[in-house]
Each structure stands twice: as structure tokens, then as C-alpha cells.
Amino acid sequence: MLFRSVSQSRYDIKHYEGDTYDLTIKIPIDLTLATVKFEIKVPGAAAATLELTEGSGIGVDAYDAIAGTTTVYIQITSGQSNTLGTTVYFYDLETTISGQVITWLSGIFAQTAQVTE
């Protein structure tokens, strides 16, 4: 599991098709009233190939007032990974609070072909 503390940064992901992918991120705001979304899409596509939301691939801890962060957990299942295939995608993680949209993390999501089945 990879851990990142972010404040709007780029992070490219290389992933192996069919494997589970876990990412833990600390975001420096209270996300209690936020909508959190993670999308993967083919460059130039209008619709997401994979969309994760809170409770469906995304977990969000309570705000840690001492640290000043909220921990966000992202998980792509092996089945979702298989469905993605071996393509290079763009992805981002964004929050929406009271109409304000912030993209915290973005980059390329590149998936290598499955060998062992």
C-alpha cells in the first residue's frame, strides 16, 4: 500500500492488470461535508472508464484536528483492474465542498498486461 500526503500534486501510477491497487492519501482539510471522487479515463474521453466514490472504492476517515488532515483510502479491485485492460489512462482525485472543486492528485495510470492467470 502506498501512502502519500498531498496538497494538489501529480503522481503517475504503474499498475499490473488483475492486481488490487491500494492508495492511502492524507488531505490537509476536513472532508466531513465533501464529495470525494476518483476517476480513470482514456485521454480525450468524455466519460470515465472507472469511477470510485465514497463507499464504493473510497473510504474516508474522520478529520484529525491535531494533524490537520483527513485520510482517504482508494482501492481498485482485481476485477475492476481486469476490466481496465492494458491501456494508458489519465486519473484524478477530487473533492467538492459547497460547490468548490479541488483536484488533489492527478497523473497517468498505466497498466501492464497480466501474465499469470
Side-chain angles (χ1 to χ4, degrees):
M1 179 182 336
L2 178 67
F3 168 78
R4 291 197 42 95
S5 181
V6 298
S7 58
Q8 298 176 319
S9 63
R10 179 183 170 106
Y11 176 67
D12 292 336
I13 299 169
K14 292 181 181 178
H15 186 255
Y16 190 73
E17 180 185 21
D19 286 359
T20 301
Y21 182 77
D22 291 302
L23 179 64
T24 301
I25 301 166
K26 291 199 180 277
I27 294 180
I29 62 171
D30 184 350
L31 297 177
T32 302
L33 300 176
T35 299
V36 183
K37 193 167 30 171
F38 180 90
E39 288 189 351
I40 294 175
K41 63 173 63 172
V42 175
T49 304
L50 177 64
E51 179 178 294
L52 304 177
T53 57
E54 190 170 351
S56 180
I58 296 179
V60 179
D61 279 351
Y63 179 66
D64 181 341
I66 294 170
T69 60
T70 303
T71 303
V72 176
Y73 305 93
I74 297 167
Q75 184 180 69
I76 298 172
T77 66
S78 61
Q80 290 168 324
S81 173
N82 276 325
T83 301
L84 287 172
T86 56
T87 303
V88 176
Y89 297 93
F90 291 125
Y91 82 91
D92 67 18
L93 171 71
E94 70 178 29
T95 59
T96 305
I97 305 172
S98 300
Q100 181 182 13
V101 178
I102 301 172
T103 301
W104 295 100
L105 194 61
S106 64
I108 294 170
F109 187 95
Q111 199 158 251
T112 304
Q114 175 72 263
V115 175
T116 305
E117 307 226 9

Short mmCIF file of all heavy atoms in Angstrom, two decimals, residues 31-102:
data_model
loop_
_atom_site.label_atom_id
_atom_site.label_comp_id
_atom_site.label_asym_id
_atom_site.label_seq_id
_atom_site.Cartn_x
_atom_site.Cartn_y
_atom_site.Cartn_z
N LEU A 31 -12.86 16.84 5.43
CA LEU A 31 -13.72 16.39 4.33
C LEU A 31 -15.08 15.89 4.81
O LEU A 31 -15.77 15.20 4.07
CB LEU A 31 -13.01 15.27 3.55
CG LEU A 31 -11.71 15.65 2.86
CD1 LEU A 31 -11.07 14.44 2.19
CD2 LEU A 31 -11.93 16.76 1.84
N THR A 32 -15.47 16.27 6.01
CA THR A 32 -16.73 15.79 6.59
C THR A 32 -17.92 16.03 5.66
O THR A 32 -18.76 15.16 5.50
CB THR A 32 -16.98 16.46 7.96
OG1 THR A 32 -15.87 16.16 8.81
CG2 THR A 32 -18.26 15.94 8.59
N LEU A 33 -18.00 17.17 5.03
CA LEU A 33 -19.14 17.50 4.17
C LEU A 33 -18.79 17.41 2.68
O LEU A 33 -19.54 17.90 1.84
CB LEU A 33 -19.64 18.91 4.49
CG LEU A 33 -20.12 19.12 5.93
CD1 LEU A 33 -20.50 20.59 6.16
CD2 LEU A 33 -21.29 18.21 6.25
N ALA A 34 -17.69 16.76 2.36
CA ALA A 34 -17.21 16.71 0.98
C ALA A 34 -17.74 15.51 0.21
O ALA A 34 -18.06 14.47 0.79
CB ALA A 34 -15.69 16.68 0.95
N THR A 35 -17.80 15.66 -1.09
CA THR A 35 -17.98 14.55 -2.02
C THR A 35 -16.58 14.25 -2.53
O THR A 35 -15.87 15.16 -2.97
CB THR A 35 -18.89 14.96 -3.19
OG1 THR A 35 -20.16 15.32 -2.68
CG2 THR A 35 -19.03 13.83 -4.20
N VAL A 36 -16.17 12.98 -2.45
CA VAL A 36 -14.83 12.57 -2.89
C VAL A 36 -14.98 11.63 -4.08
O VAL A 36 -15.76 10.69 -4.02
CB VAL A 36 -14.06 11.87 -1.74
CG1 VAL A 36 -12.66 11.51 -2.18
CG2 VAL A 36 -14.04 12.74 -0.49
N LYS A 37 -14.24 11.92 -5.15
CA LYS A 37 -14.37 11.13 -6.36
C LYS A 37 -12.98 10.87 -6.98
O LYS A 37 -12.14 11.75 -7.00
CB LYS A 37 -15.26 11.87 -7.36
CG LYS A 37 -15.71 11.05 -8.50
CD LYS A 37 -16.84 11.64 -9.34
CE LYS A 37 -16.95 13.11 -9.45
NZ LYS A 37 -17.92 13.56 -10.44
N PHE A 38 -12.79 9.64 -7.47
CA PHE A 38 -11.57 9.23 -8.16
C PHE A 38 -12.00 8.67 -9.51
O PHE A 38 -12.83 7.76 -9.57
CB PHE A 38 -10.86 8.14 -7.34
CG PHE A 38 -9.59 7.61 -7.93
CD1 PHE A 38 -8.38 8.19 -7.62
CD2 PHE A 38 -9.60 6.50 -8.77
CE1 PHE A 38 -7.19 7.69 -8.14
CE2 PHE A 38 -8.42 5.99 -9.29
CZ PHE A 38 -7.21 6.59 -8.97
N GLU A 39 -11.49 9.25 -10.60
CA GLU A 39 -11.87 8.79 -11.94
C GLU A 39 -10.65 8.44 -12.76
O GLU A 39 -9.62 9.11 -12.69
CB GLU A 39 -12.66 9.86 -12.69
CG GLU A 39 -14.05 10.07 -12.17
CD GLU A 39 -14.88 10.98 -13.05
OE1 GLU A 39 -14.35 11.61 -13.99
OE2 GLU A 39 -16.09 11.05 -12.81
N ILE A 40 -10.81 7.38 -13.55
CA ILE A 40 -9.81 6.97 -14.53
C ILE A 40 -10.50 7.04 -15.89
O ILE A 40 -11.60 6.54 -16.05
CB ILE A 40 -9.32 5.53 -14.27
CG1 ILE A 40 -8.57 5.46 -12.94
CG2 ILE A 40 -8.45 5.04 -15.41
CD1 ILE A 40 -8.15 4.05 -12.55
N LYS A 41 -9.83 7.70 -16.85
CA LYS A 41 -10.43 7.76 -18.19
C LYS A 41 -9.36 7.76 -19.26
O LYS A 41 -8.22 8.14 -19.01
CB LYS A 41 -11.37 8.93 -18.35
CG LYS A 41 -10.77 10.30 -18.20
CD LYS A 41 -11.72 11.44 -18.54
CE LYS A 41 -12.90 11.53 -17.66
NZ LYS A 41 -13.71 12.72 -17.85
N VAL A 42 -9.76 7.34 -20.44
CA VAL A 42 -8.89 7.35 -21.61
C VAL A 42 -8.69 8.81 -22.01
O VAL A 42 -9.64 9.60 -21.98
CB VAL A 42 -9.54 6.55 -22.76
CG1 VAL A 42 -8.72 6.66 -24.03
CG2 VAL A 42 -9.73 5.09 -22.36
N PRO A 43 -7.46 9.20 -22.40
CA PRO A 43 -7.25 10.58 -22.83
C PRO A 43 -8.25 11.00 -23.91
O PRO A 43 -8.49 10.28 -24.87
CB PRO A 43 -5.82 10.55 -23.40
CG PRO A 43 -5.16 9.42 -22.68
CD PRO A 43 -6.25 8.39 -22.47
N GLY A 44 -8.88 12.14 -23.70
CA GLY A 44 -9.85 12.66 -24.66
C GLY A 44 -11.27 12.16 -24.50
O GLY A 44 -12.18 12.67 -25.14
N ALA A 45 -11.49 11.16 -23.64
CA ALA A 45 -12.84 10.61 -23.46
C ALA A 45 -13.69 11.54 -22.59
O ALA A 45 -13.20 12.18 -21.67
CB ALA A 45 -12.77 9.23 -22.82
N ALA A 46 -14.98 11.57 -22.89
CA ALA A 46 -15.90 12.39 -22.11
C ALA A 46 -16.27 11.68 -20.80
O ALA A 46 -16.40 12.32 -19.76
CB ALA A 46 -17.15 12.69 -22.92
N ALA A 47 -16.46 10.37 -20.86
CA ALA A 47 -16.91 9.62 -19.69
C ALA A 47 -15.75 8.85 -19.06
O ALA A 47 -14.82 8.42 -19.74
CB ALA A 47 -18.02 8.64 -20.09
N ALA A 48 -15.85 8.66 -17.74
CA ALA A 48 -14.84 7.89 -17.01
C ALA A 48 -14.95 6.41 -17.35
O ALA A 48 -16.04 5.87 -17.52
CB ALA A 48 -15.01 8.08 -15.52
N THR A 49 -13.81 5.75 -17.47
CA THR A 49 -13.76 4.30 -17.65
C THR A 49 -14.03 3.62 -16.31
O THR A 49 -14.68 2.59 -16.25
CB THR A 49 -12.39 3.87 -18.20
OG1 THR A 49 -12.14 4.59 -19.40
CG2 THR A 49 -12.34 2.38 -18.47
N LEU A 50 -13.54 4.22 -15.23
CA LEU A 50 -13.77 3.74 -13.87
C LEU A 50 -13.95 4.93 -12.96
O LEU A 50 -13.14 5.86 -12.98
CB LEU A 50 -12.58 2.88 -13.39
CG LEU A 50 -12.66 2.37 -11.94
CD1 LEU A 50 -13.84 1.41 -11.77
CD2 LEU A 50 -11.36 1.70 -11.55
N GLU A 51 -15.02 4.92 -12.17
CA GLU A 51 -15.28 5.99 -11.21
C GLU A 51 -15.48 5.37 -9.84
O GLU A 51 -16.30 4.47 -9.67
CB GLU A 51 -16.53 6.78 -11.61
CG GLU A 51 -16.84 7.89 -10.62
CD GLU A 51 -18.05 8.72 -11.02
OE1 GLU A 51 -17.96 9.41 -12.05
OE2 GLU A 51 -19.06 8.65 -10.32
N LEU A 52 -14.71 5.85 -8.87
CA LEU A 52 -14.85 5.42 -7.48
C LEU A 52 -15.39 6.59 -6.67
O LEU A 52 -15.00 7.74 -6.89
CB LEU A 52 -13.50 4.98 -6.92
CG LEU A 52 -12.76 3.89 -7.69
CD1 LEU A 52 -11.40 3.63 -7.05
CD2 LEU A 52 -13.57 2.62 -7.77
N THR A 53 -16.28 6.27 -5.73
CA THR A 53 -16.84 7.28 -4.84
C THR A 53 -16.79 6.76 -3.42
O THR A 53 -16.52 5.58 -3.18
CB THR A 53 -18.30 7.60 -5.23
OG1 THR A 53 -19.05 6.39 -5.19
CG2 THR A 53 -18.40 8.23 -6.61
N GLU A 54 -17.07 7.64 -2.47
CA GLU A 54 -17.04 7.23 -1.06
C GLU A 54 -18.05 6.09 -0.85
O GLU A 54 -19.20 6.18 -1.26
CB GLU A 54 -17.37 8.41 -0.15
CG GLU A 54 -17.13 8.10 1.30
CD GLU A 54 -17.22 9.32 2.19
OE1 GLU A 54 -17.31 10.45 1.69
OE2 GLU A 54 -17.21 9.12 3.42
N GLY A 55 -17.58 5.01 -0.25
CA GLY A 55 -18.41 3.84 -0.02
C GLY A 55 -18.35 2.85 -1.17
O GLY A 55 -18.83 1.73 -1.06
N SER A 56 -17.78 3.25 -2.28
CA SER A 56 -17.65 2.38 -3.45
C SER A 56 -16.25 2.54 -4.03
O SER A 56 -16.05 3.16 -5.06
CB SER A 56 -18.71 2.75 -4.50
OG SER A 56 -18.59 1.90 -5.62
N GLY A 57 -15.27 2.03 -3.28
CA GLY A 57 -13.87 2.13 -3.69
C GLY A 57 -13.09 3.21 -2.96
O GLY A 57 -11.87 3.24 -3.04
N ILE A 58 -13.79 4.10 -2.26
CA ILE A 58 -13.14 5.16 -1.50
C ILE A 58 -13.64 5.12 -0.06
O ILE A 58 -14.84 5.10 0.19
CB ILE A 58 -13.40 6.56 -2.09
CG1 ILE A 58 -12.80 6.67 -3.48
CG2 ILE A 58 -12.83 7.65 -1.17
CD1 ILE A 58 -13.04 8.00 -4.16
N GLY A 59 -12.70 5.14 0.87
CA GLY A 59 -13.01 5.27 2.29
C GLY A 59 -12.42 6.57 2.81
O GLY A 59 -11.34 6.99 2.37
N VAL A 60 -13.11 7.22 3.73
CA VAL A 60 -12.65 8.49 4.28
C VAL A 60 -12.74 8.44 5.80
O VAL A 60 -13.81 8.17 6.35
CB VAL A 60 -13.50 9.67 3.74
CG1 VAL A 60 -13.02 10.99 4.34
CG2 VAL A 60 -13.48 9.72 2.22
N ASP A 61 -11.61 8.67 6.46
CA ASP A 61 -11.59 8.72 7.93
C ASP A 61 -12.13 10.05 8.42
O ASP A 61 -12.23 11.02 7.65
CB ASP A 61 -10.16 8.57 8.46
CG ASP A 61 -9.69 7.13 8.50
OD1 ASP A 61 -10.51 6.22 8.29
OD2 ASP A 61 -8.49 6.91 8.75
N ALA A 62 -12.41 10.12 9.70
CA ALA A 62 -12.79 11.38 10.33
C ALA A 62 -11.59 12.33 10.30
O ALA A 62 -10.43 11.90 10.29
CB ALA A 62 -13.25 11.15 11.76
N TYR A 63 -11.85 13.61 10.29
CA TYR A 63 -10.80 14.64 10.28
C TYR A 63 -9.97 14.53 11.56
O TYR A 63 -10.52 14.44 12.66
CB TYR A 63 -11.45 16.02 10.16
CG TYR A 63 -10.48 17.16 10.17
CD1 TYR A 63 -9.59 17.34 9.12
CD2 TYR A 63 -10.48 18.08 11.21
CE1 TYR A 63 -8.71 18.41 9.11
CE2 TYR A 63 -9.61 19.16 11.20
CZ TYR A 63 -8.71 19.31 10.16
OH TYR A 63 -7.84 20.37 10.15
N ASP A 64 -8.66 14.54 11.41
CA ASP A 64 -7.73 14.53 12.54
C ASP A 64 -7.31 15.97 12.81
O ASP A 64 -6.44 16.51 12.12
CB ASP A 64 -6.52 13.66 12.20
CG ASP A 64 -5.51 13.57 13.33
OD1 ASP A 64 -5.52 14.42 14.24
OD2 ASP A 64 -4.68 12.63 13.29
N ALA A 65 -7.95 16.61 13.80
CA ALA A 65 -7.70 18.02 14.07
C ALA A 65 -6.26 18.29 14.51
O ALA A 65 -5.70 19.35 14.22
CB ALA A 65 -8.67 18.53 15.13
N ILE A 66 -5.64 17.33 15.19
CA ILE A 66 -4.26 17.52 15.65
C ILE A 66 -3.31 17.53 14.45
O ILE A 66 -2.44 18.40 14.34
CB ILE A 66 -3.86 16.42 16.66
CG1 ILE A 66 -4.70 16.59 17.94
CG2 ILE A 66 -2.37 16.48 16.98
CD1 ILE A 66 -4.59 15.46 18.92
N ALA A 67 -3.46 16.58 13.55
CA ALA A 67 -2.60 16.52 12.36
C ALA A 67 -3.05 17.51 11.29
O ALA A 67 -2.28 17.88 10.41
CB ALA A 67 -2.60 15.11 11.78
N GLY A 68 -4.33 17.91 11.33
CA GLY A 68 -4.87 18.81 10.32
C GLY A 68 -5.10 18.13 8.98
O GLY A 68 -5.03 18.78 7.94
N THR A 69 -5.39 16.82 9.03
CA THR A 69 -5.58 16.07 7.78
C THR A 69 -6.76 15.11 7.88
O THR A 69 -7.18 14.73 8.96
CB THR A 69 -4.33 15.23 7.43
OG1 THR A 69 -4.08 14.30 8.48
CG2 THR A 69 -3.11 16.10 7.20
N THR A 70 -7.23 14.70 6.72
CA THR A 70 -8.21 13.63 6.58
C THR A 70 -7.56 12.55 5.74
O THR A 70 -6.99 12.84 4.69
CB THR A 70 -9.49 14.13 5.89
OG1 THR A 70 -10.03 15.22 6.61
CG2 THR A 70 -10.52 13.02 5.79
N THR A 71 -7.64 11.29 6.19
CA THR A 71 -7.06 10.19 5.44
C THR A 71 -8.11 9.62 4.50
O THR A 71 -9.24 9.34 4.89
CB THR A 71 -6.55 9.09 6.39
OG1 THR A 71 -5.60 9.66 7.28
CG2 THR A 71 -5.90 7.96 5.61
N VAL A 72 -7.71 9.46 3.23
CA VAL A 72 -8.57 8.91 2.18
C VAL A 72 -7.92 7.62 1.68
O VAL A 72 -6.73 7.58 1.41
CB VAL A 72 -8.73 9.91 1.01
CG1 VAL A 72 -9.54 9.30 -0.12
CG2 VAL A 72 -9.37 11.20 1.50
N TYR A 73 -8.74 6.57 1.57
CA TYR A 73 -8.28 5.27 1.11
C TYR A 73 -8.94 4.97 -0.24
O TYR A 73 -10.16 5.05 -0.35
CB TYR A 73 -8.68 4.16 2.09
CG TYR A 73 -8.21 4.42 3.50
CD1 TYR A 73 -9.04 5.07 4.41
CD2 TYR A 73 -6.94 4.03 3.91
CE1 TYR A 73 -8.61 5.32 5.70
CE2 TYR A 73 -6.51 4.27 5.20
CZ TYR A 73 -7.34 4.93 6.09
OH TYR A 73 -6.91 5.18 7.38
N ILE A 74 -8.12 4.63 -1.23
CA ILE A 74 -8.63 4.30 -2.56
C ILE A 74 -8.28 2.85 -2.83
O ILE A 74 -7.14 2.43 -2.61
CB ILE A 74 -7.98 5.20 -3.63
CG1 ILE A 74 -8.38 6.66 -3.36
CG2 ILE A 74 -8.38 4.76 -5.03
CD1 ILE A 74 -7.58 7.66 -4.14
N GLN A 75 -9.26 2.08 -3.31
CA GLN A 75 -8.98 0.70 -3.69
C GLN A 75 -9.66 0.37 -5.01
O GLN A 75 -10.86 0.53 -5.18
CB GLN A 75 -9.45 -0.30 -2.64
CG GLN A 75 -9.05 -1.73 -3.04
CD GLN A 75 -9.48 -2.78 -2.06
OE1 GLN A 75 -10.66 -3.04 -1.93
NE2 GLN A 75 -8.51 -3.36 -1.38
N ILE A 76 -8.82 -0.12 -5.94
CA ILE A 76 -9.31 -0.66 -7.20
C ILE A 76 -9.22 -2.17 -7.05
O ILE A 76 -8.15 -2.71 -6.76
CB ILE A 76 -8.46 -0.18 -8.39
CG1 ILE A 76 -8.55 1.35 -8.50
CG2 ILE A 76 -8.90 -0.85 -9.69
CD1 ILE A 76 -7.61 1.96 -9.50
N THR A 77 -10.34 -2.86 -7.21
CA THR A 77 -10.35 -4.32 -7.03
C THR A 77 -9.68 -5.00 -8.22
O THR A 77 -9.48 -4.39 -9.28
CB THR A 77 -11.79 -4.84 -6.92
OG1 THR A 77 -12.45 -4.64 -8.18
CG2 THR A 77 -12.56 -4.16 -5.79
N SER A 78 -9.35 -6.28 -8.04
CA SER A 78 -8.73 -7.03 -9.14
C SER A 78 -9.69 -7.12 -10.33
O SER A 78 -9.27 -7.03 -11.49
CB SER A 78 -8.29 -8.41 -8.68
OG SER A 78 -9.39 -9.16 -8.25
N GLY A 79 -10.99 -7.27 -10.07
CA GLY A 79 -11.98 -7.32 -11.15
C GLY A 79 -12.04 -6.01 -11.92
O GLY A 79 -12.11 -6.01 -13.16
N GLN A 80 -12.02 -4.89 -11.20
CA GLN A 80 -12.01 -3.59 -11.87
C GLN A 80 -10.73 -3.41 -12.68
O GLN A 80 -10.76 -2.89 -13.80
CB GLN A 80 -12.15 -2.46 -10.84
CG GLN A 80 -13.50 -2.40 -10.21
CD GLN A 80 -13.54 -1.49 -8.99
OE1 GLN A 80 -12.58 -1.41 -8.22
NE2 GLN A 80 -14.66 -0.80 -8.82
N SER A 81 -9.62 -3.87 -12.13
CA SER A 81 -8.34 -3.79 -12.82
C SER A 81 -8.37 -4.61 -14.11
O SER A 81 -7.89 -4.15 -15.16
CB SER A 81 -7.22 -4.28 -11.91
OG SER A 81 -6.01 -4.35 -12.58
N ASN A 82 -8.94 -5.80 -14.06
CA ASN A 82 -9.05 -6.63 -15.27
C ASN A 82 -9.90 -5.94 -16.33
O ASN A 82 -9.59 -6.01 -17.52
CB ASN A 82 -9.66 -8.00 -14.94
CG ASN A 82 -8.63 -8.97 -14.45
OD1 ASN A 82 -7.49 -8.97 -14.88
ND2 ASN A 82 -9.03 -9.83 -13.52
N THR A 83 -10.96 -5.29 -15.91
CA THR A 83 -11.86 -4.60 -16.84
C THR A 83 -11.14 -3.44 -17.54
O THR A 83 -11.41 -3.15 -18.70
CB THR A 83 -13.10 -4.08 -16.10
OG1 THR A 83 -13.77 -5.20 -15.52
CG2 THR A 83 -14.05 -3.36 -17.03
N LEU A 84 -10.21 -2.80 -16.83
CA LEU A 84 -9.48 -1.68 -17.43
C LEU A 84 -8.61 -2.11 -18.60
O LEU A 84 -8.41 -1.36 -19.55
CB LEU A 84 -8.60 -0.99 -16.38
CG LEU A 84 -9.31 -0.14 -15.35
CD1 LEU A 84 -8.33 0.32 -14.28
CD2 LEU A 84 -10.00 1.05 -15.99
N GLY A 85 -8.08 -3.33 -18.53
CA GLY A 85 -7.20 -3.78 -19.61
C GLY A 85 -5.84 -3.11 -19.56
O GLY A 85 -5.45 -2.54 -18.55
N THR A 86 -5.13 -3.18 -20.66
CA THR A 86 -3.76 -2.64 -20.70
C THR A 86 -3.70 -1.39 -21.57
O THR A 86 -3.26 -1.42 -22.71
CB THR A 86 -2.78 -3.70 -21.24
OG1 THR A 86 -3.23 -4.13 -22.51
CG2 THR A 86 -2.68 -4.88 -20.31
N THR A 87 -4.11 -0.31 -21.00
CA THR A 87 -4.15 0.98 -21.68
C THR A 87 -3.52 2.02 -20.76
O THR A 87 -3.44 1.83 -19.57
CB THR A 87 -5.61 1.37 -21.98
OG1 THR A 87 -6.21 0.33 -22.76
CG2 THR A 87 -5.72 2.66 -22.74
N VAL A 88 -3.11 3.12 -21.34
CA VAL A 88 -2.64 4.25 -20.55
C VAL A 88 -3.81 5.21 -20.38
O VAL A 88 -4.44 5.61 -21.36
CB VAL A 88 -1.45 4.95 -21.23
CG1 VAL A 88 -1.04 6.19 -20.45
CG2 VAL A 88 -0.28 3.98 -21.37
N TYR A 89 -4.11 5.53 -19.14
CA TYR A 89 -5.24 6.40 -18.79
C TYR A 89 -4.73 7.66 -18.09
O TYR A 89 -3.59 7.72 -17.66
CB TYR A 89 -6.17 5.69 -17.80
CG TYR A 89 -6.82 4.44 -18.31
CD1 TYR A 89 -6.23 3.19 -18.10
CD2 TYR A 89 -8.03 4.49 -18.98
CE1 TYR A 89 -6.84 2.03 -18.56
CE2 TYR A 89 -8.65 3.34 -19.44
CZ TYR A 89 -8.04 2.11 -19.22
OH TYR A 89 -8.64 0.97 -19.68
N PHE A 90 -5.63 8.62 -17.94
CA PHE A 90 -5.44 9.73 -17.02
C PHE A 90 -6.34 9.46 -15.82
O PHE A 90 -7.37 8.79 -15.94
CB PHE A 90 -5.84 11.07 -17.64
CG PHE A 90 -4.92 11.53 -18.73
CD1 PHE A 90 -5.43 11.84 -19.98
CD2 PHE A 90 -3.57 11.66 -18.52
CE1 PHE A 90 -4.60 12.27 -21.01
CE2 PHE A 90 -2.73 12.09 -19.54
CZ PHE A 90 -3.25 12.40 -20.78
N TYR A 91 -5.97 9.97 -14.65
CA TYR A 91 -6.82 9.84 -13.47
C TYR A 91 -6.72 11.11 -12.64
O TYR A 91 -5.77 11.90 -12.79
CB TYR A 91 -6.40 8.63 -12.61
CG TYR A 91 -5.24 8.94 -11.70
CD1 TYR A 91 -5.46 9.40 -10.40
CD2 TYR A 91 -3.94 8.83 -12.13
CE1 TYR A 91 -4.41 9.72 -9.57
CE2 TYR A 91 -2.88 9.15 -11.33
CZ TYR A 91 -3.12 9.59 -10.04
OH TYR A 91 -2.08 9.94 -9.23
N ASP A 92 -7.69 11.30 -11.76
CA ASP A 92 -7.56 12.33 -10.74
C ASP A 92 -8.44 12.00 -9.54
O ASP A 92 -9.34 11.18 -9.62
CB ASP A 92 -7.84 13.74 -11.27
CG ASP A 92 -9.27 14.00 -11.70
OD1 ASP A 92 -10.18 13.26 -11.30
OD2 ASP A 92 -9.49 14.98 -12.44
N LEU A 93 -8.09 12.62 -8.44
CA LEU A 93 -8.84 12.53 -7.19
C LEU A 93 -9.26 13.94 -6.86
O LEU A 93 -8.42 14.84 -6.74
CB LEU A 93 -7.97 11.97 -6.06
CG LEU A 93 -8.59 12.05 -4.66
CD1 LEU A 93 -9.74 11.07 -4.53
CD2 LEU A 93 -7.56 11.82 -3.59
N GLU A 94 -10.58 14.15 -6.73
CA GLU A 94 -11.05 15.49 -6.42
C GLU A 94 -12.11 15.46 -5.33
O GLU A 94 -12.77 14.45 -5.11
CB GLU A 94 -11.58 16.21 -7.66
CG GLU A 94 -12.87 15.66 -8.21
CD GLU A 94 -13.37 16.45 -9.43
OE1 GLU A 94 -12.56 17.01 -10.17
OE2 GLU A 94 -14.58 16.46 -9.62
N THR A 95 -12.22 16.61 -4.67
CA THR A 95 -13.25 16.78 -3.65
C THR A 95 -14.12 17.97 -4.05
O THR A 95 -13.66 18.89 -4.73
CB THR A 95 -12.64 17.06 -2.26
OG1 THR A 95 -11.84 18.26 -2.32
CG2 THR A 95 -11.79 15.90 -1.79
N THR A 96 -15.38 17.90 -3.63
CA THR A 96 -16.29 19.04 -3.81
C THR A 96 -16.91 19.34 -2.46
O THR A 96 -17.51 18.46 -1.83
CB THR A 96 -17.40 18.70 -4.83
OG1 THR A 96 -16.80 18.28 -6.06
CG2 THR A 96 -18.29 19.91 -5.08
N ILE A 97 -16.74 20.58 -2.01
CA ILE A 97 -17.32 21.04 -0.74
C ILE A 97 -18.00 22.37 -1.02
O ILE A 97 -17.34 23.32 -1.45
CB ILE A 97 -16.26 21.23 0.36
CG1 ILE A 97 -15.44 19.95 0.57
CG2 ILE A 97 -16.90 21.67 1.67
CD1 ILE A 97 -14.25 20.12 1.50
N SER A 98 -19.30 22.43 -0.79
CA SER A 98 -20.07 23.65 -1.01
C SER A 98 -19.81 24.25 -2.39
O SER A 98 -19.62 25.46 -2.53
CB SER A 98 -19.76 24.68 0.08
OG SER A 98 -20.08 24.16 1.35
N GLY A 99 -19.75 23.41 -3.41
CA GLY A 99 -19.55 23.87 -4.77
C GLY A 99 -18.10 24.12 -5.16
O GLY A 99 -17.81 24.35 -6.33
N GLN A 100 -17.18 24.08 -4.20
CA GLN A 100 -15.76 24.29 -4.51
C GLN A 100 -15.11 22.95 -4.84
O GLN A 100 -15.10 22.03 -4.02
CB GLN A 100 -15.04 24.95 -3.34
CG GLN A 100 -13.58 25.21 -3.64
CD GLN A 100 -12.84 25.82 -2.47
OE1 GLN A 100 -13.32 25.86 -1.35
NE2 GLN A 100 -11.64 26.31 -2.73
N VAL A 101 -14.56 22.85 -6.05
CA VAL A 101 -13.90 21.62 -6.52
C VAL A 101 -12.40 21.79 -6.40
O VAL A 101 -11.84 22.80 -6.87
CB VAL A 101 -14.29 21.31 -7.98
CG1 VAL A 101 -13.57 20.07 -8.47
CG2 VAL A 101 -15.80 21.16 -8.11
N ILE A 102 -11.74 20.81 -5.78
CA ILE A 102 -10.28 20.81 -5.67
C ILE A 102 -9.77 19.47 -6.16
O ILE A 102 -10.21 18.42 -5.69
CB ILE A 102 -9.80 21.04 -4.22
CG1 ILE A 102 -10.32 22.37 -3.68
CG2 ILE A 102 -8.27 20.97 -4.14
CD1 ILE A 102 -10.05 22.57 -2.20
#
